[in-house]
Amino acid sequence: MARVEANRRDFLRWLATAGAGLAAAGIAPALFAQEAAAAGTDVVVVLGATVVDGTDAPARPNSAVVLIGDRIAWVGPAVELPHCAGARIVDGRGRYLIPGLWDMHAHGIDYEKLWPPMFLANGVTGIREMQGYDENRATRDKIDRGELLGPRVVMGSAIIDGPVSLLGPPITQVANAEEGRAAVRTAVAQRSDFVKVYFYLPKDAYYAIADECRRFGLPFSGHWPYRLRQLDAAKAGQRTFEHLFGLHIATSSRRDEFLALLDAQPFDPNAKRDFFNLARELDRQAAQAYDPATAESHFAALKALDNWVSPTFAVNRVISRPAGTFAHDPRLKYVSQDIIDYWADRLTMFTPVTAEQIAQQDAYFEAQLRLVGEAHRAGLGVLGGTDCLNPYVFPGFSLHDELDYLVQAGLSPRQALQSVTRDAARFLGKASTTGTITPGKVADLVLLDANPLTDIRAVRRIDTVVTAGRVLDRTRLTRMLADVETAAKQPPAGANSRSVRLPVRGCC
């Protein structure tokens, strides 16, 4: 049909009759339109774009997406949409519209002048913050109240580890079941969205944490707890084992041998890294002894328990290369000197030095790519996350790197994109409100200059970002990054201009 002119009231009246998508989302279209009219809510129309909605549906060329405030109100062919006088039109012709991206393993949102704008400028409209503490909870609350422009934040608890730990404050260390339960109650009181568990938890404390999380209906994720078999931890309810820790051992023909070596090794408070270093080396060796039959059984069991793969290739690649490999990354201009200095010091704890070590770590990383491809083909859900704030892992920018690695691992561009949109939302229990371009869901969108379904690198070519209905065009995004570059050159000033927790950061 030909597009007709309509004033704002007529347009909202049309929406009330055309809003089948809103009704499907459980929202009464007429009531939605009435409330929008009463509130004087802005109308934004993304017009003429090819919509890649995050589902398995084909891309829809020459579409229109109507946003009323912070919600998607209508999606359909552009020719069916009446022209609304006074609406803001975002020109989508020749471009591709995708849902806003989620970084599903992030740290450091409390670097308020640096991290939030870097995320948004790269199309990241939501993050899973993997370690909660006072400063980043305060930043989350500012974003929620609209006082700070930034991505949506799903906030983890303080990291919960055993009495021996590789980390220090602000983590919570527990020695027994009672302390584990208390740590979960604290996480609930702090409005944590999930609990984060760590390597060195005693078995009784771990099971108490799992039980208390069930009691409060709180999910928990984190690192592989070394004193448990992966399947036992998954049966207890752990949703992910971050960074692929332990997955190579669990899928190896030498699994029982390696697990026996770990069982016999104590957590030494005087040499805290010894166990971690042994486990990492055994995991590397296990990658060279991958057993398809063992893997098939393990993957099937994890899938049945709704356990997900969270590979964080971005950080794994950095620690697999010599320490100086990324020292001249042009994105360093967006990072303050205190972070750069910390990165340079911290990285030497992980990276290879000799030619033999470099070759071993390159092979290990390639094995990680293959392992994730096998897990994905076995039906395990995959989450795209970066572990930003670790050395040379940059907010927003590195999620684009992660998508590249996921495609190298064997996911199609569509599947890689879904890992940070639709599937991320499903994992978080937010599928009804975010993750796809669907009426009724939040208005978090990214407009691209190229087709991400043919080349995942198109996700880097951002024209416009919409976050909670706020339109950030290319000029605004460029200015945001320029402001980040300026802020990165300034000395820290104020409680939340930098994280006071930086010295305890690691691969977490």
Side-chain angles (χ1 to χ4, degrees):
M1 76 179 211
R3 293 180 66 217
V4 298
E5 292 286 339
N7 60 35
R8 190 173 184 282
R9 179 176 297 177
D10 289 340
F11 183 84
L12 292 174
R13 187 178 297 117
W14 171 85
L15 179 65
T17 61
L22 285 172
I27 300 169
L31 181 60
F32 180 86
Q34 290 171 11
E35 291 176 348
T41 308
D42 290 340
V43 177
V44 175
V45 179
V46 183
L47 189 62
T50 295
V51 171
V52 179
D53 65 8
T55 73
D56 293 326
R60 290 177 280 176
N62 195 26
S63 293
V65 178
V66 178
L67 314 178
I68 307 290
D70 65 352
R71 303 292 282 275
I72 299 170
W74 187 85
V75 182
V79 294
E80 294 183 5
L81 183 74
H83 178 74
C84 175
R88 176 172 180 176
I89 304 297
V90 177
D91 186 1
R93 291 173 299 176
R95 299 188 173 97
Y96 295 79
L97 191 69
I98 63 173
L101 311 178
W102 281 80
D103 186 333
M104 292 296 286
H105 192 123
H107 295 278
I109 193 66
D110 49 308
Y111 276 82
E112 291 182 355
K113 294 183 178 180
L114 307 179
W115 261 227
M118 273 200 279
F119 279 126
L120 292 179
N122 285 281
V124 178
T125 58
I127 67 167
R128 180 173 168 243
E129 174 72 64
M130 296 299 294
Q131 178 184 11
Y133 44 85
D134 289 344
E135 290 78 13
N136 64 7
R137 284 190 287 268
T139 298
R140 171 200 60 188
D141 293 346
K142 288 182 183 180
I143 294 171
D144 287 348
R145 293 192 299 265
E147 298 169 7
L148 176 68
L149 185 62
R152 302 174 192 274
V153 179
V154 171
M155 179 65 68
S157 69
I159 290 173
I160 306 176
D161 204 4
V164 177
S165 180
L166 301 177
L167 306 177
I171 74 161
T172 298
Q173 292 178 260
V174 301
N176 52 50
E178 182 180 354
E179 292 178 358
R181 291 183 185 278
V184 173
R185 292 194 293 272
T186 296
V188 171
Q190 293 171 335
R191 295 190 299 112
S192 304
D193 296 301
F194 65 97
V195 162
K196 170 76 175 288
V197 294
Y198 217 61
F199 288 127
Y200 288 3
L201 276 168
K203 186 180 292 188
D204 62 337
Y206 178 89
Y207 278 123
I209 289 167
D211 184 62
E212 200 74 358
C213 283
R214 277 192 298 272
R215 192 166 79 84
F216 282 98
L218 199 63
F220 72 102
S221 290
H223 289 205
W224 171 36
Y226 289 133
R227 291 310 183 208
L228 280 80
R229 303 298 187 257
Q230 271 202 347
L231 286 183
D232 289 337
K235 289 175 183 175
Q238 185 164 337
R239 301 291 311 286
T240 63
F241 303 105
E242 303 292 317
H243 316 297
L244 304 179
F245 284 130
L247 195 57
H248 281 295
I249 290 176
T251 56
S252 168
S253 61
R254 302 175 65 187
R255 176 190 60 197
D256 294 342
E257 170 194 349
F258 291 145
L259 290 174
L261 288 171
L262 292 176
D263 287 345
Q265 178 82 1
F267 299 149
D268 185 351
N270 297 312
K272 298 177 181 180
R273 296 197 65 80
D274 285 0
F275 194 104
F276 173 82
N277 291 337
L278 171 64
R280 180 170 163 79
E281 173 57 21
L282 293 180
D283 203 62
R284 185 194 67 78
Q285 293 179 30
Q288 308 309 311
Y290 176 79
D291 181 64
T294 301
E296 181 181 7
S297 174
H298 189 70
F299 292 152
L302 289 180
K303 180 183 177 182
L305 295 164
D306 197 25
N307 190 271
W308 291 59
V309 178
S310 179
T312 64
F313 286 126
V315 71
N316 287 349
R317 189 49 175 160
V318 170
I319 64 177
S320 73
R321 301 297 300 149
T325 301
F326 304 96
H328 302 290
D329 191 308
R331 298 171 293 188
L332 286 168
K333 65 184 178 182
Y334 300 120
V335 180
S336 56
Q337 191 62 47
D338 61 329
I339 300 175
I340 295 172
D341 292 343
Y342 172 70
W343 285 358
D345 176 70
R346 179 76 178 176
L347 196 54
T348 58
M349 299 172 63
F350 298 96
T351 50
V353 177
T354 68
E356 179 183 14
Q357 290 171 340
I358 293 168
Q360 288 176 342
Q361 290 301 314
D362 280 342
Y364 184 26
F365 184 75
E366 292 299 320
Q368 291 173 343
L369 291 171
R370 290 193 297 272
L371 185 68
V372 170
E374 292 293 339
H376 171 69
R377 286 186 285 275
L380 268 69
V382 176
L383 302 174
T386 65
D387 210 3
C388 60
L389 191 58
N390 272 281
Y392 307 107
V393 184
F394 302 88
F397 292 99
S398 288
L399 190 65
H400 301 160
D401 301 336
E402 190 74 17
L403 292 171
D404 292 349
Y405 290 130
L406 288 172
V407 171
Q408 290 179 37
L411 279 69
S412 69
R414 181 190 295 274
Q415 291 165 340
L417 188 61
Q418 287 171 336
S419 79
V420 295
T421 55
R422 181 196 68 179
D423 297 344
R426 178 190 151 202
F427 174 85
L428 294 170
K430 295 180 176 292
S432 64
T433 59
T434 189
T436 63
I437 303 177
T438 304
K441 294 191 178 183
V442 295
D444 292 348
L445 306 167
V446 185
L447 188 62
L448 305 174
D449 286 331
N451 185 357
L453 299 183
T454 57
D455 185 350
I456 195 61
R457 292 172 297 181
V459 177
R460 303 170 188 263
R461 298 180 58 184
I462 295 172
D463 175 83
T464 300
V465 173
V466 182
T467 176
R470 289 167 290 189
V471 179
L472 310 176
D473 62 17
R474 184 67 259 169
T475 299
R476 175 79 181 274
L477 298 175
T478 300
R479 186 167 67 248
M480 286 167 60
L481 286 177
D483 290 344
V484 170
E485 186 175 357
T486 299
K489 296 174 182 176
Q490 304 301 315
N496 269 48
S497 61
R498 66 182 294 275
S499 171
V500 298
R501 306 298 186 179
L502 186 61
V504 305
R505 300 288 188 182
C507 186
C508 56

